[in-house]
Structure formats: C-alpha cells, structure tokens
Amino acid sequence: MKKTTLAIGVVAVLGIAYVGTAWYTGKVIESNIDNEFREITKKVNNYQNEYNIAISHSYLEKNIFSTKLHLTVTMSPRDSYDTDSQPNKLFDDDIIIHHGPFPIAALAKGTFSPQMAWIEYQMSEQAAPELWKLLGNKPFISGQAGISYQNYLRVKVTNQALEASPADLKNFDGILSISEGNYTFESDADFEKILVNARLDKLNYIENDNSSLSLKNLNLSAKPSSESNVVDFDVNVGNLLMQDGPYRHSQLETTIDNFKLKGSVNYKNNDINVQNSIDKLIYKPIGLMQIQPVELNKFVLNQKNNLNASDTVDGLLQFNLESIFYGKQNLGSVTFDFDFQGLDKKFFLFYRLGDLYRNIDESGMSNVELKLKQLNWHNTAGDINISANAKVVDTNQVRDAYNFDKIDSFNLKIDAPLDVLAYISAQIEAGSNQENEISQSDINKAKQSLGMLSQMFLQNVKFLTFKKNDTLGIFSDVEYSRENGMIKINGMNIPREEFLEDFMQE
C-alpha cells in the first residue's frame, strides 16, 4: 500500500513538475518572442540588400501547454519610389506553439530530445479556401519547427502534391502540376551556422500563352554564414524544360539535362567561386523552319571573382564544350580561358546595360591586366586559336582609342585557317538544310565566299594578314611594349606614331 501511495505521489509530483515547466516555458516564450522576431528580422535583412522583411504577430489563445498566435511576414523593396505601394505578404496565417520540455506534438513526430518550443503549422482553410477544397479538405503546406533549450532551430516544411487549372482556382490562368516537396532549415542561436535543404521531384507549369516550365529532380542545399558573409551552395536539377510564349508565331524551347551548380558566394562583397556543369543543353526554335536546334554537350563553366582591399576585383572565367551540334552537324569543341586583375568593383554591380557604360566611364582603375589565355575551336578540319593580353596603367587615359601612353603592354595572336572557317560555314549551311553530310564542293564554295568577304571588309585592318606560310586564313601577331615604343605586327617593327597615323587615315 505504501509503495502504491509512493508511486502515485511520484507520478503526481512529475505531473505537477511537467505542468509547471510547461507553464514556465510558455511564459518564457511569451516574454522573449518579440526579441526573437526582431533578431530574426535583423538577420534576414542583413543577408541581402534588396528587400525589407517585417514580422508581426498577435495572440489568439494562450494555454498551459500551447499558445496560438497569428503571424504575418511581409516583404517590400528597399528602393521603391512608389509611396502608395503596399508590402507583399509572404505569410499571413495562424501557428501553434507547443511548450516544452517534451511537447506531445514533438514526441508524435519522433523527436524525443527536450524542446523549449515545438511549432506546428498547417495552411488553414481561411488562408486558401480553394486549395483546401481542391486537396480534399487538406492543407497544401504543412510545417513544424523545434527550438531546443540551447536555441537551436530546426524547421521542416512540406507541400502536398497538387494538380490545378483555371477551372479549379480563381485568378489562376495556368495549369500546374507539382509533386510533394520537402524543405528544411537549421540554425544555431546566433544564426552563424545555417543549413538549408530542398527537394522537389516534379514541377510543371503552363501559362495561357503556351509558355511553360517543367522541372524534375530538384535538390538544393545551402550553408549561409553571417559570420563570414559566405553562402556555400549545391544545386542539382535532373531535367529542366522551358518554352517561351509565341513571338511572331514562334517559340523557343530550352532543354537542360543534369544541371549541377556548386560553389560559394559572399553576399556582402560579391566574391564568387562557382563550378557549373550541364550534360546537354538544347535550344530549339519552334515555328522557324530555317533555323535548326543548337545542342551543347558536356558544358563545364568555372567562374571566380575576388574583391581586393583596393576595391578592385581579380577573377577568371573558363568553359569547355565537348561538342556543338547545329541541326545534324557537329561543329566541333570549344575551350575558353580568360582571367583578369585589378578591375573596378563597379563593373560587377550594374543591373542595366546603361549602368555598365556609366561604370566604365566613371572608373579610375590602374594596373589592370586582362588575359585571354586561350580561345580554341576544334573541328575535323583543324583548329582556330586566339589569345590576347593587355596591361593598362591608368584606364582614365585610355578612353581615346589612339592613346597608347597608359598602355603598358599589349599582345594579340589570331590563327584562323580558311579551311577550318570554311568547314564551319559549310556545316552551318548543311545544318540549316537538315543535311547529314557536306561535300568538298560545299567546302570549296564556302572557302571562296569567305575569302572574298575577308578581303572586302578586313583588307584595310593593319594588324591582320590573310596568308601564313602557305596557309590561307585570318592571322595576326601583334606585340606592343610601352618601354620601346614599337609595335611589332606580323614580324615587322613599326613605330607606334606611324601605326596611329595610318590607322587614323582610314
């Protein structure tokens, strides 16, 4: 009897302790939630410079074990000139916060570690009545979040699979098909260590003008760090198909297979280090019979920008193409390797073409170096090779095309045999006509045409020649050094003043 009484007492004490802890946790949540929302808002706005995010809430119901509140999240442009514009609502619905230390809702989801709060959300019928009805009285979006007593946050959001058309939803002018999706977010108390993941198997969307987007097997992960201002990311897409709407009775269809994007970006100074790869990229005009599809195979692109203490940027751009098809013609492979040093950071902050021109005009860079290490096009007939580099002491003095005073050195090499150019030209002609083979007669015809055009339009260009040894084509070998004041053009030394006089007379 005593043991039974003792057991009942222990259970009673534990029950009272649990109720008391849950009540106390609820009070802690209530007293700190405003500060938490302010901190989250501050962190989110610090991660980007384009929008202001605002979070507000109101209490609906307070209980010992849970708190129900209405949460509103809005977004508005920071540089909006429309004083009457209203912020866009990203979220406007009810959520339930279950109090720790062991919320029943968390235990039901398989989380057995102590949680200060467990948040549950289901898109309400009031928030989206048509979606609710379309899904058989079920929420389209559901979510849960756990906050440990060390303030570690874990969020998981899912969306239901959905098929929708204008007949199902008002003010919806497309056809949508989306699979179930899963999205997770984790962060420590200071938002210094963040992990984001997303997975979506399928998304198809068609607009009334027949523009469409189809996506399969999206997997995304990102690790932002406010401490270092860097976001590491990894994106994989199995297949992406896009169709632009009709333009003069035609469409452009773009297909991408096995797209991979991996790297990091500094969202404060725009430093990037990115590696891209695509197994296959196809541009297919629809409705233009004379233009055939262009297919790129095994496309690899690397890009890197690093901001220096002097507000200049060093970087590189490299890409390789295993093959390019136009229609049924394999035009060959391409390699491109370019790097730069000392470019003004303004070049990387423009949003419109006019901004780029203005930034070039206002830049005051010095000790700039540009290097086209290699541009190679290889096909059955041979290779086209172009390389160049330039060192500039002061860009303010180079706006005049005839001013060499501030150019430290310049080199240009062009090696484009006529056989290779003619072979590409003949292939493009054959590709337009959907032909599989090209004949020697086709190549000779293209060679004759290109020879005449090059002589007609390029014969007065001083640094070009059209024969190298016994090979016809377009060639150039230019070397300039400010130190000796001479320009060496295709093996001949010419004083720069004489070169400029001849150049300006034409």
Side-chain angles (χ1 to χ4, degrees), residues 372-377 383-389 410-418 420-421 454 458 461-469 471-479 488-491:
L372 175 56
K373 294 181 177 181
Q374 181 185 33
L375 172 55
N376 171 265
W377 190 307
D383 292 89
I384 297 173
N385 287 294
I386 301 175
S387 63
N389 69 75
F410 176 79
N411 296 276
L412 171 66
K413 292 183 183 295
I414 301 175
D415 195 328
L418 188 57
V420 183
L421 294 171
S454 61
L458 302 176
V461 180
K462 296 294 183 181
F463 55 86
L464 294 180
T465 183
F466 303 99
K467 190 173 183 180
K468 182 178 180 181
N469 299 324
T471 303
L472 298 177
I474 300 174
F475 307 97
S476 183
D477 190 350
V478 179
E479 296 181 20
K488 189 176 182 180
I489 300 178
N490 301 319

mmCIF file of all heavy atoms in Angstrom, residues 372-377 383-389 410-418 420-421 454 458 461-469 471-479 488-491:
data_model
loop_
_atom_site.group_PDB
_atom_site.id
_atom_site.type_symbol
_atom_site.label_atom_id
_atom_site.label_comp_id
_atom_site.label_asym_id
_atom_site.label_seq_id
_atom_site.Cartn_x
_atom_site.Cartn_y
_atom_site.Cartn_z
ATOM 1 N N LEU A 372 43.259 36.842 -72.251
ATOM 2 C CA LEU A 372 42.554 35.762 -72.928
ATOM 3 C C LEU A 372 43.604 34.689 -73.195
ATOM 4 O O LEU A 372 44.319 34.724 -74.192
ATOM 5 C CB LEU A 372 41.926 36.248 -74.234
ATOM 6 C CG LEU A 372 41.250 35.177 -75.103
ATOM 7 C CD1 LEU A 372 40.175 34.431 -74.326
ATOM 8 C CD2 LEU A 372 40.702 35.770 -76.381
ATOM 9 N N LYS A 373 43.713 33.756 -72.263
ATOM 10 C CA LYS A 373 44.761 32.748 -72.375
ATOM 11 C C LYS A 373 44.536 31.834 -73.560
ATOM 12 O O LYS A 373 45.492 31.447 -74.253
ATOM 13 C CB LYS A 373 44.827 31.918 -71.084
ATOM 14 C CG LYS A 373 45.262 32.706 -69.864
ATOM 15 C CD LYS A 373 45.331 31.796 -68.649
ATOM 16 C CE LYS A 373 45.837 32.546 -67.425
ATOM 17 N NZ LYS A 373 45.921 31.660 -66.240
ATOM 18 N N GLN A 374 43.282 31.503 -73.801
ATOM 19 C CA GLN A 374 43.001 30.581 -74.896
ATOM 20 C C GLN A 374 41.549 30.668 -75.324
ATOM 21 O O GLN A 374 40.640 30.682 -74.497
ATOM 22 C CB GLN A 374 43.323 29.137 -74.490
ATOM 23 C CG GLN A 374 43.090 28.112 -75.589
ATOM 24 C CD GLN A 374 43.297 26.690 -75.113
ATOM 25 O OE1 GLN A 374 43.031 26.371 -73.957
ATOM 26 N NE2 GLN A 374 43.777 25.809 -75.990
ATOM 27 N N LEU A 375 41.367 30.786 -76.627
ATOM 28 C CA LEU A 375 40.069 30.539 -77.238
ATOM 29 C C LEU A 375 40.337 29.583 -78.391
ATOM 30 O O LEU A 375 40.962 29.951 -79.392
ATOM 31 C CB LEU A 375 39.433 31.833 -77.748
ATOM 32 C CG LEU A 375 38.155 31.660 -78.583
ATOM 33 C CD1 LEU A 375 37.104 30.863 -77.829
ATOM 34 C CD2 LEU A 375 37.602 33.003 -79.021
ATOM 35 N N ASN A 376 39.917 28.356 -78.239
ATOM 36 C CA ASN A 376 40.190 27.314 -79.223
ATOM 37 C C ASN A 376 38.891 26.718 -79.729
ATOM 38 O O ASN A 376 37.998 26.386 -78.948
ATOM 39 C CB ASN A 376 41.057 26.202 -78.625
ATOM 40 C CG ASN A 376 41.190 24.997 -79.546
ATOM 41 O OD1 ASN A 376 40.438 24.030 -79.424
ATOM 42 N ND2 ASN A 376 42.132 25.048 -80.463
ATOM 43 N N TRP A 377 38.781 26.623 -81.046
ATOM 44 C CA TRP A 377 37.658 25.925 -81.684
ATOM 45 C C TRP A 377 38.267 24.825 -82.548
ATOM 46 O O TRP A 377 39.035 25.095 -83.467
ATOM 47 C CB TRP A 377 36.857 26.897 -82.551
ATOM 48 C CG TRP A 377 35.554 26.338 -83.044
ATOM 49 C CD1 TRP A 377 35.340 25.163 -83.710
ATOM 50 C CD2 TRP A 377 34.257 26.934 -82.901
ATOM 51 N NE1 TRP A 377 34.017 24.974 -83.995
ATOM 52 C CE2 TRP A 377 33.322 26.052 -83.507
ATOM 53 C CE3 TRP A 377 33.802 28.111 -82.323
ATOM 54 C CZ2 TRP A 377 31.964 26.341 -83.559
ATOM 55 C CZ3 TRP A 377 32.445 28.390 -82.372
ATOM 56 C CH2 TRP A 377 31.535 27.516 -82.981
ATOM 57 N N ASP A 383 42.111 23.651 -86.245
ATOM 58 C CA ASP A 383 41.889 24.465 -85.049
ATOM 59 C C ASP A 383 41.930 25.954 -85.374
ATOM 60 O O ASP A 383 42.734 26.403 -86.210
ATOM 61 C CB ASP A 383 42.959 24.178 -84.001
ATOM 62 C CG ASP A 383 42.853 22.780 -83.424
ATOM 63 O OD1 ASP A 383 43.465 21.850 -84.007
ATOM 64 O OD2 ASP A 383 42.146 22.623 -82.415
ATOM 65 N N ILE A 384 41.062 26.697 -84.682
ATOM 66 C CA ILE A 384 41.151 28.158 -84.616
ATOM 67 C C ILE A 384 41.648 28.500 -83.220
ATOM 68 O O ILE A 384 41.092 28.022 -82.221
ATOM 69 C CB ILE A 384 39.780 28.815 -84.867
ATOM 70 C CG1 ILE A 384 39.294 28.502 -86.279
ATOM 71 C CG2 ILE A 384 39.859 30.320 -84.646
ATOM 72 C CD1 ILE A 384 37.871 28.966 -86.537
ATOM 73 N N ASN A 385 42.692 29.318 -83.114
ATOM 74 C CA ASN A 385 43.256 29.707 -81.827
ATOM 75 C C ASN A 385 43.384 31.224 -81.745
ATOM 76 O O ASN A 385 43.901 31.854 -82.677
ATOM 77 C CB ASN A 385 44.628 29.063 -81.611
ATOM 78 C CG ASN A 385 44.535 27.582 -81.313
ATOM 79 O OD1 ASN A 385 44.018 27.178 -80.277
ATOM 80 N ND2 ASN A 385 45.028 26.758 -82.238
ATOM 81 N N ILE A 386 42.914 31.781 -80.654
ATOM 82 C CA ILE A 386 43.039 33.221 -80.393
ATOM 83 C C ILE A 386 43.507 33.399 -78.959
ATOM 84 O O ILE A 386 42.997 32.741 -78.039
ATOM 85 C CB ILE A 386 41.698 33.951 -80.601
ATOM 86 C CG1 ILE A 386 41.193 33.758 -82.030
ATOM 87 C CG2 ILE A 386 41.840 35.440 -80.294
ATOM 88 C CD1 ILE A 386 39.810 34.344 -82.266
ATOM 89 N N SER A 387 44.477 34.272 -78.761
ATOM 90 C CA SER A 387 44.916 34.628 -77.410
ATOM 91 C C SER A 387 45.260 36.112 -77.394
ATOM 92 O O SER A 387 45.615 36.694 -78.425
ATOM 93 C CB SER A 387 46.129 33.792 -76.978
ATOM 94 O OG SER A 387 47.239 34.044 -77.816
ATOM 95 N N ALA A 388 45.162 36.728 -76.231
ATOM 96 C CA ALA A 388 45.451 38.159 -76.108
ATOM 97 C C ALA A 388 45.684 38.493 -74.655
ATOM 98 O O ALA A 388 45.173 37.815 -73.747
ATOM 99 C CB ALA A 388 44.303 39.003 -76.671
ATOM 100 N N ASN A 389 46.456 39.544 -74.413
ATOM 101 C CA ASN A 389 46.566 40.088 -73.054
ATOM 102 C C ASN A 389 46.937 41.548 -73.138
ATOM 103 O O ASN A 389 47.571 41.999 -74.104
ATOM 104 C CB ASN A 389 47.566 39.290 -72.210
ATOM 105 C CG ASN A 389 48.986 39.461 -72.669
ATOM 106 O OD1 ASN A 389 49.602 40.499 -72.435
ATOM 107 N ND2 ASN A 389 49.535 38.457 -73.332
ATOM 108 N N PHE A 410 50.673 45.095 -74.778
ATOM 109 C CA PHE A 410 49.515 44.504 -75.445
ATOM 110 C C PHE A 410 50.003 43.428 -76.399
ATOM 111 O O PHE A 410 50.985 43.624 -77.128
ATOM 112 C CB PHE A 410 48.728 45.567 -76.219
ATOM 113 C CG PHE A 410 47.578 45.009 -77.015
ATOM 114 C CD1 PHE A 410 46.390 44.678 -76.396
ATOM 115 C CD2 PHE A 410 47.685 44.818 -78.387
ATOM 116 C CE1 PHE A 410 45.333 44.160 -77.110
ATOM 117 C CE2 PHE A 410 46.628 44.299 -79.117
ATOM 118 C CZ PHE A 410 45.450 43.975 -78.475
ATOM 119 N N ASN A 411 49.315 42.275 -76.406
ATOM 120 C CA ASN A 411 49.655 41.177 -77.309
ATOM 121 C C ASN A 411 48.372 40.567 -77.862
ATOM 122 O O ASN A 411 47.378 40.423 -77.135
ATOM 123 C CB ASN A 411 50.451 40.090 -76.589
ATOM 124 C CG ASN A 411 51.800 40.571 -76.106
ATOM 125 O OD1 ASN A 411 52.771 40.579 -76.852
ATOM 126 N ND2 ASN A 411 51.865 40.981 -74.845
ATOM 127 N N LEU A 412 48.417 40.202 -79.146
ATOM 128 C CA LEU A 412 47.274 39.568 -79.788
ATOM 129 C C LEU A 412 47.778 38.542 -80.789
ATOM 130 O O LEU A 412 48.665 38.835 -81.602
ATOM 131 C CB LEU A 412 46.409 40.603 -80.513
ATOM 132 C CG LEU A 412 45.287 40.060 -81.411
ATOM 133 C CD1 LEU A 412 44.225 39.351 -80.581
ATOM 134 C CD2 LEU A 412 44.666 41.174 -82.247
ATOM 135 N N LYS A 413 47.227 37.347 -80.725
ATOM 136 C CA LYS A 413 47.541 36.299 -81.692
ATOM 137 C C LYS A 413 46.229 35.700 -82.208
ATOM 138 O O LYS A 413 45.375 35.278 -81.419
ATOM 139 C CB LYS A 413 48.406 35.202 -81.062
ATOM 140 C CG LYS A 413 49.824 35.641 -80.703
ATOM 141 C CD LYS A 413 50.638 34.478 -80.163
ATOM 142 C CE LYS A 413 52.027 34.928 -79.735
ATOM 143 N NZ LYS A 413 52.838 35.396 -80.888
ATOM 144 N N ILE A 414 46.082 35.712 -83.524
ATOM 145 C CA ILE A 414 44.923 35.098 -84.175
ATOM 146 C C ILE A 414 45.428 34.109 -85.205
ATOM 147 O O ILE A 414 46.261 34.447 -86.054
ATOM 148 C CB ILE A 414 44.027 36.159 -84.857
ATOM 149 C CG1 ILE A 414 43.525 37.180 -83.847
ATOM 150 C CG2 ILE A 414 42.853 35.488 -85.574
ATOM 151 C CD1 ILE A 414 42.740 38.320 -84.476
ATOM 152 N N ASP A 415 44.929 32.899 -85.120
ATOM 153 C CA ASP A 415 45.309 31.847 -86.072
ATOM 154 C C ASP A 415 44.028 31.132 -86.489
ATOM 155 O O ASP A 415 43.553 30.213 -85.820
ATOM 156 C CB ASP A 415 46.289 30.876 -85.414
ATOM 157 C CG ASP A 415 46.997 29.982 -86.430
ATOM 158 O OD1 ASP A 415 46.376 29.672 -87.456
ATOM 159 O OD2 ASP A 415 48.151 29.602 -86.188
ATOM 160 N N ALA A 416 43.437 31.608 -87.611
ATOM 161 C CA ALA A 416 42.158 31.072 -88.080
ATOM 162 C C ALA A 416 42.302 30.640 -89.529
ATOM 163 O O ALA A 416 42.028 31.418 -90.460
ATOM 164 C CB ALA A 416 41.058 32.115 -87.930
ATOM 165 N N PRO A 417 42.759 29.404 -89.781
ATOM 166 C CA PRO A 417 42.920 28.922 -91.157
ATOM 167 C C PRO A 417 41.598 28.938 -91.911
ATOM 168 O O PRO A 417 40.536 28.644 -91.348
ATOM 169 C CB PRO A 417 43.440 27.498 -90.976
ATOM 170 C CG PRO A 417 44.031 27.473 -89.598
ATOM 171 C CD PRO A 417 43.195 28.411 -88.789
ATOM 172 N N LEU A 418 41.684 29.270 -93.195
ATOM 173 C CA LEU A 418 40.474 29.350 -94.014
ATOM 174 C C LEU A 418 39.796 27.989 -94.143
ATOM 175 O O LEU A 418 38.559 27.909 -94.218
ATOM 176 C CB LEU A 418 40.827 29.903 -95.404
ATOM 177 C CG LEU A 418 39.655 30.231 -96.335
ATOM 178 C CD1 LEU A 418 38.712 31.231 -95.684
ATOM 179 C CD2 LEU A 418 40.162 30.758 -97.666
ATOM 180 N N VAL A 420 39.439 25.731 -91.854
ATOM 181 C CA VAL A 420 38.611 25.499 -90.660
ATOM 182 C C VAL A 420 37.362 26.374 -90.705
ATOM 183 O O VAL A 420 36.240 25.916 -90.429
ATOM 184 C CB VAL A 420 39.417 25.772 -89.375
ATOM 185 C CG1 VAL A 420 38.574 25.470 -88.141
ATOM 186 C CG2 VAL A 420 40.696 24.945 -89.364
ATOM 187 N N LEU A 421 37.533 27.672 -91.065
ATOM 188 C CA LEU A 421 36.386 28.580 -91.156
ATOM 189 C C LEU A 421 35.398 28.110 -92.210
ATOM 190 O O LEU A 421 34.178 28.141 -92.004
ATOM 191 C CB LEU A 421 36.882 29.990 -91.481
ATOM 192 C CG LEU A 421 37.725 30.690 -90.410
ATOM 193 C CD1 LEU A 421 38.329 31.972 -90.970
ATOM 194 C CD2 LEU A 421 36.888 31.003 -89.181
ATOM 195 N N SER A 454 36.404 38.371 -96.474
ATOM 196 C CA SER A 454 37.505 38.831 -95.625
ATOM 197 C C SER A 454 38.320 39.909 -96.320
ATOM 198 O O SER A 454 38.726 40.898 -95.712
ATOM 199 C CB SER A 454 38.388 37.648 -95.226
ATOM 200 O OG SER A 454 38.954 37.039 -96.375
ATOM 201 N N LEU A 458 38.017 43.333 -94.430
ATOM 202 C CA LEU A 458 39.119 43.344 -93.467
ATOM 203 C C LEU A 458 40.469 43.707 -94.070
ATOM 204 O O LEU A 458 41.460 43.766 -93.353
ATOM 205 C CB LEU A 458 39.235 41.956 -92.804
ATOM 206 C CG LEU A 458 38.009 41.438 -92.070
ATOM 207 C CD1 LEU A 458 38.256 40.020 -91.573
ATOM 208 C CD2 LEU A 458 37.635 42.348 -90.914
ATOM 209 N N VAL A 461 42.516 46.500 -92.380
ATOM 210 C CA VAL A 461 42.863 46.369 -90.965
ATOM 211 C C VAL A 461 44.362 46.048 -90.872
ATOM 212 O O VAL A 461 44.799 44.988 -91.326
ATOM 213 C CB VAL A 461 42.022 45.269 -90.283
ATOM 214 C CG1 VAL A 461 42.402 45.162 -88.806
ATOM 215 C CG2 VAL A 461 40.537 45.580 -90.430
ATOM 216 N N LYS A 462 45.143 46.971 -90.301
ATOM 217 C CA LYS A 462 46.604 46.915 -90.364
ATOM 218 C C LYS A 462 47.204 45.692 -89.686
ATOM 219 O O LYS A 462 48.249 45.205 -90.100
ATOM 220 C CB LYS A 462 47.190 48.179 -89.722
ATOM 221 C CG LYS A 462 46.854 49.465 -90.449
ATOM 222 C CD LYS A 462 47.494 49.497 -91.828
ATOM 223 C CE LYS A 462 47.228 50.804 -92.533
ATOM 224 N NZ LYS A 462 47.830 50.845 -93.887
ATOM 225 N N PHE A 463 46.560 45.185 -88.661
ATOM 226 C CA PHE A 463 47.185 44.116 -87.896
ATOM 227 C C PHE A 463 46.756 42.720 -88.362
ATOM 228 O O PHE A 463 47.120 41.724 -87.755
ATOM 229 C CB PHE A 463 46.911 44.262 -86.396
ATOM 230 C CG PHE A 463 45.453 44.344 -86.032
ATOM 231 C CD1 PHE A 463 44.705 43.193 -85.835
ATOM 232 C CD2 PHE A 463 44.829 45.572 -85.887
ATOM 233 C CE1 PHE A 463 43.375 43.259 -85.498
ATOM 234 C CE2 PHE A 463 43.488 45.643 -85.544
ATOM 235 C CZ PHE A 463 42.759 44.489 -85.352
ATOM 236 N N LEU A 464 45.998 42.635 -89.468
ATOM 237 C CA LEU A 464 45.572 41.350 -89.993
ATOM 238 C C LEU A 464 46.322 41.017 -91.272
ATOM 239 O O LEU A 464 46.653 41.903 -92.070
ATOM 240 C CB LEU A 464 44.063 41.334 -90.273
ATOM 241 C CG LEU A 464 43.119 41.449 -89.081
ATOM 242 C CD1 LEU A 464 41.669 41.422 -89.566
ATOM 243 C CD2 LEU A 464 43.359 40.350 -88.065
ATOM 244 N N THR A 465 46.570 39.729 -91.464
ATOM 245 C CA THR A 465 47.097 39.226 -92.712
ATOM 246 C C THR A 465 46.301 37.994 -93.098
ATOM 247 O O THR A 465 45.668 37.359 -92.240
ATOM 248 C CB THR A 465 48.597 38.880 -92.587
ATOM 249 O OG1 THR A 465 49.088 38.452 -93.867
ATOM 250 C CG2 THR A 465 48.823 37.755 -91.592
ATOM 251 N N PHE A 466 46.305 37.663 -94.402
ATOM 252 C CA PHE A 466 45.415 36.614 -94.872
ATOM 253 C C PHE A 466 46.180 35.406 -95.410
ATOM 254 O O PHE A 466 45.591 34.533 -96.054
ATOM 255 C CB PHE A 466 44.476 37.180 -95.942
ATOM 256 C CG PHE A 466 43.695 38.357 -95.437
ATOM 257 C CD1 PHE A 466 44.098 39.655 -95.730
ATOM 258 C CD2 PHE A 466 42.586 38.174 -94.640
ATOM 259 C CE1 PHE A 466 43.396 40.741 -95.237
ATOM 260 C CE2 PHE A 466 41.878 39.254 -94.142
ATOM 261 C CZ PHE A 466 42.281 40.554 -94.439
ATOM 262 N N LYS A 467 47.482 35.374 -95.113
ATOM 263 C CA LYS A 467 48.272 34.221 -95.507
ATOM 264 C C LYS A 467 49.411 34.031 -94.518
ATOM 265 O O LYS A 467 50.111 34.986 -94.175
ATOM 266 C CB LYS A 467 48.835 34.393 -96.922
ATOM 267 C CG LYS A 467 49.464 33.127 -97.495
ATOM 268 C CD LYS A 467 49.840 33.323 -98.952
ATOM 269 C CE LYS A 467 50.390 32.031 -99.546
ATOM 270 N NZ LYS A 467 50.760 32.182 -100.980
ATOM 271 N N LYS A 468 49.589 32.821 -94.067
ATOM 272 C CA LYS A 468 50.678 32.487 -93.145
ATOM 273 C C LYS A 468 51.403 31.285 -93.714
ATOM 274 O O LYS A 468 50.830 30.197 -93.795
ATOM 275 C CB LYS A 468 50.114 32.188 -91.756
ATOM 276 C CG LYS A 468 51.158 31.885 -90.703
ATOM 277 C CD LYS A 468 50.487 31.649 -89.359
ATOM 278 C CE LYS A 468 51.519 31.338 -88.280
ATOM 279 N NZ LYS A 468 50.884 31.076 -86.969
ATOM 280 N N ASN A 469 52.663 31.506 -94.092
ATOM 281 C CA ASN A 469 53.398 30.497 -94.861
ATOM 282 C C ASN A 469 52.595 30.208 -96.132
ATOM 283 O O ASN A 469 52.375 31.098 -96.935
ATOM 284 C CB ASN A 469 53.663 29.248 -94.024
ATOM 285 C CG ASN A 469 54.517 29.552 -92.790
ATOM 286 O OD1 ASN A 469 55.418 30.411 -92.867
ATOM 287 N ND2 ASN A 469 54.244 28.878 -91.681
ATOM 288 N N THR A 471 49.448 28.897 -95.940
ATOM 289 C CA THR A 471 48.077 28.653 -95.484
ATOM 290 C C THR A 471 47.256 29.934 -95.560
ATOM 291 O O THR A 471 47.666 30.982 -95.035
ATOM 292 C CB THR A 471 48.069 28.136 -94.034
ATOM 293 O OG1 THR A 471 48.865 26.946 -93.944
ATOM 294 C CG2 THR A 471 46.653 27.828 -93.571
ATOM 295 N N LEU A 472 46.092 29.855 -96.192
ATOM 296 C CA LEU A 472 45.169 30.985 -96.254
ATOM 297 C C LEU A 472 44.299 31.022 -95.006
ATOM 298 O O LEU A 472 43.986 29.987 -94.418
ATOM 299 C CB LEU A 472 44.289 30.887 -97.498
ATOM 300 C CG LEU A 472 44.995 30.930 -98.852
ATOM 301 C CD1 LEU A 472 43.985 30.735 -99.978
ATOM 302 C CD2 LEU A 472 45.761 32.226 -99.035
ATOM 303 N N GLY A 473 43.890 32.234 -94.637
ATOM 304 C CA GLY A 473 43.033 32.379 -93.469
ATOM 305 C C GLY A 473 43.077 33.799 -92.942
ATOM 306 O O GLY A 473 43.367 34.757 -93.691
ATOM 307 N N ILE A 474 42.812 33.977 -91.670
ATOM 308 C CA ILE A 474 42.906 35.266 -90.990
ATOM 309 C C ILE A 474 43.907 35.098 -89.861
ATOM 310 O O ILE A 474 43.695 34.280 -88.953
ATOM 311 C CB ILE A 474 41.539 35.718 -90.448
ATOM 312 C CG1 ILE A 474 40.527 35.856 -91.592
ATOM 313 C CG2 ILE A 474 41.667 37.048 -89.706
ATOM 314 C CD1 ILE A 474 39.119 36.167 -91.127
ATOM 315 N N PHE A 475 44.984 35.884 -89.905
ATOM 316 C CA PHE A 475 46.071 35.712 -88.948
ATOM 317 C C PHE A 475 46.497 37.074 -88.401
ATOM 318 O O PHE A 475 46.353 38.106 -89.063
ATOM 319 C CB PHE A 475 47.275 35.020 -89.603
ATOM 320 C CG PHE A 475 46.943 33.735 -90.291
ATOM 321 C CD1 PHE A 475 46.711 33.708 -91.663
ATOM 322 C CD2 PHE A 475 46.839 32.557 -89.565
ATOM 323 C CE1 PHE A 475 46.398 32.514 -92.298
ATOM 324 C CE2 PHE A 475 46.522 31.366 -90.192
ATOM 325 C CZ PHE A 475 46.303 31.344 -91.561
ATOM 326 N N SER A 476 47.026 37.046 -87.190
ATOM 327 C CA SER A 476 47.564 38.271 -86.599
ATOM 328 C C SER A 476 48.534 37.909 -85.495
ATOM 329 O O SER A 476 48.318 36.940 -84.757
ATOM 330 C CB SER A 476 46.447 39.154 -86.041
ATOM 331 O OG SER A 476 46.975 40.364 -85.531
ATOM 332 N N ASP A 477 49.610 38.686 -85.422
ATOM 333 C CA ASP A 477 50.589 38.526 -84.342
ATOM 334 C C ASP A 477 51.075 39.921 -83.980
ATOM 335 O O ASP A 477 51.909 40.512 -84.682
ATOM 336 C CB ASP A 477 51.745 37.637 -84.788
ATOM 337 C CG ASP A 477 52.667 37.255 -83.622
ATOM 338 O OD1 ASP A 477 52.508 37.834 -82.528
ATOM 339 O OD2 ASP A 477 53.531 36.392 -83.818
ATOM 340 N N VAL A 478 50.506 40.474 -82.916
ATOM 341 C CA VAL A 478 50.785 41.853 -82.524
ATOM 342 C C VAL A 478 51.437 41.863 -81.153
ATOM 343 O O VAL A 478 50.960 41.196 -80.231
ATOM 344 C CB VAL A 478 49.488 42.695 -82.487
ATOM 345 C CG1 VAL A 478 49.781 44.123 -82.061
ATOM 346 C CG2 VAL A 478 48.797 42.671 -83.839
ATOM 347 N N GLU A 479 52.526 42.626 -81.022
ATOM 348 C CA GLU A 479 53.192 42.809 -79.736
ATOM 349 C C GLU A 479 53.500 44.288 -79.553
ATOM 350 O O GLU A 479 54.023 44.940 -80.466
ATOM 351 C CB GLU A 479 54.498 42.000 -79.672
ATOM 352 C CG GLU A 479 54.307 40.503 -79.742
ATOM 353 C CD GLU A 479 55.622 39.767 -79.643
ATOM 354 O OE1 GLU A 479 56.594 40.369 -79.158
ATOM 355 O OE2 GLU A 479 55.683 38.593 -80.079
ATOM 356 N N LYS A 488 55.097 45.637 -82.931
ATOM 357 C CA LYS A 488 55.529 44.563 -83.818
ATOM 358 C C LYS A 488 54.288 43.879 -84.371
ATOM 359 O O LYS A 488 53.527 43.251 -83.636
ATOM 360 C CB LYS A 488 56.402 43.559 -83.067
ATOM 361 C CG LYS A 488 57.057 42.523 -83.970
ATOM 362 C CD LYS A 488 57.991 41.631 -83.155
ATOM 363 C CE LYS A 488 58.699 40.619 -84.052
ATOM 364 N NZ LYS A 488 59.619 39.746 -83.260
ATOM 365 N N ILE A 489 54.086 44.029 -85.685
ATOM 366 C CA ILE A 489 52.890 43.492 -86.325
ATOM 367 C C ILE A 489 53.310 42.464 -87.363
ATOM 368 O O ILE A 489 53.971 42.803 -88.355
ATOM 369 C CB ILE A 489 52.064 44.612 -86.985
ATOM 370 C CG1 ILE A 489 51.623 45.638 -85.939
ATOM 371 C CG2 ILE A 489 50.843 44.022 -87.694
ATOM 372 C CD1 ILE A 489 50.852 46.793 -86.499
ATOM 373 N N ASN A 490 52.962 41.226 -87.098
ATOM 374 C CA ASN A 490 53.258 40.126 -88.014
ATOM 375 C C ASN A 490 54.721 40.110 -88.427
ATOM 376 O O ASN A 490 55.070 39.982 -89.608
ATOM 377 C CB ASN A 490 52.347 40.201 -89.243
ATOM 378 C CG ASN A 490 50.879 40.128 -88.877
ATOM 379 O OD1 ASN A 490 50.490 39.351 -88.009
ATOM 380 N ND2 ASN A 490 50.063 40.951 -89.522
ATOM 381 N N GLY A 491 55.603 40.287 -87.449
ATOM 382 C CA GLY A 491 57.038 40.199 -87.665
ATOM 383 C C GLY A 491 57.712 41.488 -88.039
ATOM 384 O O GLY A 491 58.959 41.535 -88.138
#
